[in-house]
Amino acid sequence: MGSATTSTENAGTGLFPPPAGIAASTSRRMRSIRLALVGAGVLLLAWGAFVMFDSVRLTRIPGVALWIAAAIVLHDAILAPIVFACAIALRRVGRRTTGTVIAIVQGAIVVGSLVSLIAVPTMVAKNFAPANPTVLPLDYGLNLGIFWLVLAVLTVGLSVWALLRERHHAGKIDVDSGR
């Protein structure tokens, strides 16, 4: 059904065949690169587990496991859907929104979320900290708010710059082609 494809186009890639003109050797090379990356990831996980069990007391491992589970839930249930929804909203708001702008906004959301993930525990800890003012000396809530404000300004600035740059290049191509 549809167009006929050659075996070179579908060589070992499953549902997504390579674009026209890509040889089967590329897919074999990509498969070996992926295998090497998976192997490196498994080795790094094993090393991390070894270091954790070697340096963390056994009574603290359930807390570490809870922290890892919470990080996974925060990522999969909150951060990933927000980034995805922003991409959908940006594509629907303006059909002229480019992939560069979407990547800039998504990157800003990820960076802001990670900084918040680091800052919020310190804000909570400050409420339970001992009376020693040198333990947690800063106003972490204010600093996080300033960070988000600077991040928003940088994101808007980079997005505007990327749009202007892409429109400039698009206009330059039109002028060069005589259209």
Side-chain angles (χ1 to χ4, degrees):
M1 300 185 224
S3 65
T5 58
T6 64
S7 62
T8 303
E9 291 175 353
N10 291 325
T13 58
L15 296 174
F16 303 106
I22 303 289
S25 64
T26 303
S27 65
R28 273 187 245 118
R29 185 175 357 146
M30 192 59 163
R31 214 173 312 135
S32 63
I33 290 170
R34 287 179 184 154
L35 186 62
L37 288 173
V38 167
V42 168
L43 286 174
L44 286 172
L45 280 171
W47 176 253
F50 170 75
V51 169
M52 182 181 75
F53 284 112
D54 187 49
S55 61
V56 175
R57 290 191 322 251
L58 287 178
T59 57
R60 303 216 47 188
I61 289 182
V64 172
L66 178 64
W67 185 88
I68 291 172
I72 291 170
V73 168
L74 283 172
H75 176 270
D76 291 348
I78 296 171
L79 182 59
I82 288 172
V83 170
F84 181 71
C86 284
I88 297 288
L90 283 171
R91 289 187 190 271
R92 288 190 182 194
V93 167
R95 298 251 182 231
R96 295 182 183 186
T97 303
T98 64
T100 304
V101 172
I102 292 171
I104 290 168
V105 172
Q106 287 177 332
I109 291 170
V110 169
V111 168
S113 299
L114 290 173
V115 170
S116 296
L117 190 63
I118 293 167
V120 168
T122 58
M123 292 186 314
V124 171
K126 189 167 184 165
N127 292 335
F128 299 109
N132 185 351
T134 62
V135 173
L136 294 170
L138 303 175
D139 186 359
Y140 298 101
L142 175 67
N143 290 344
L144 184 61
I146 292 170
F147 170 80
W148 273 102
L149 180 66
V150 169
L151 184 64
V153 168
L154 286 173
T155 302
V156 168
L158 278 172
S159 298
V160 168
W161 174 77
L163 281 173
L164 292 175
R165 183 172 175 248
E166 288 177 12
R167 286 189 182 154
H168 173 72
H169 287 295
K172 193 174 186 180
I173 292 171
D174 288 342
V175 169
D176 291 342
S177 66
R179 287 189 255 168

